[in-house]
Amino acid sequence: MAYAVENALFQWEDGERRLRSYDDPERSQLDQAARAVLDELRRRLGGAFTLRELADFYGSGTDWADDIAERQLAGTDTAHAVDAAFARYARFASDYGGGRRYD
């Protein structure tokens, strides 16, 4: 399913901002969950990818990522950790340039 790249970037960066707004120890738990989701993104998508591919992957569903984050957080809301993980992984896209797509 196609997912608008601009919307995805906004949502992912918002997740990253929200994650940073938490105080410890909650922030540490969320960051740990984001790292676990990021590791799984690397495993699932591998090497070279574009923001379009990542946004479409996100649009196809993130239940698997929610499950990973929940296991790290023991029931805490996980949406911010999942979105932060996608924001971090987006920085490795072949067409990512500091928050802007290369056209």
Side-chain angles (χ1 to χ4, degrees):
M1 174 177 187
Y3 196 91
V5 172
E6 291 78 14
N7 290 348
L9 285 169
F10 177 82
Q11 190 166 342
W12 300 338
E13 290 301 325
D14 185 57
E16 184 75 48
R17 279 189 297 277
R18 289 177 184 261
L19 189 142
R20 287 191 307 258
S21 73
Y22 286 91
D23 293 325
D24 278 328
E26 198 169 21
R27 182 180 347 146
S28 293
Q29 287 178 311
L30 287 165
D31 193 53
Q32 180 179 346
R35 283 193 305 270
V37 172
L38 180 62
D39 289 344
E40 184 63 16
L41 276 168
R42 285 185 184 121
R43 190 186 74 69
R44 288 177 181 231
L45 291 177
F49 64 96
T50 65
L51 288 172
R52 161 66 44 220
E53 291 169 323
L54 186 61
D56 288 347
F57 185 69
Y58 181 83
S60 71
T62 59
D63 289 345
W64 61 270
D66 293 331
D67 291 344
I68 291 169
E70 282 179 20
R71 279 180 282 193
Q72 298 293 320
L73 298 171
T76 302
D77 182 14
T78 60
H80 301 142
V82 170
D83 287 343
F86 273 84
R88 294 171 187 182
Y89 197 61
R91 294 177 189 130
F92 295 98
S94 61
D95 57 349
Y96 181 85
R100 296 190 184 119
R101 273 189 311 166
Y102 292 126
D103 291 321

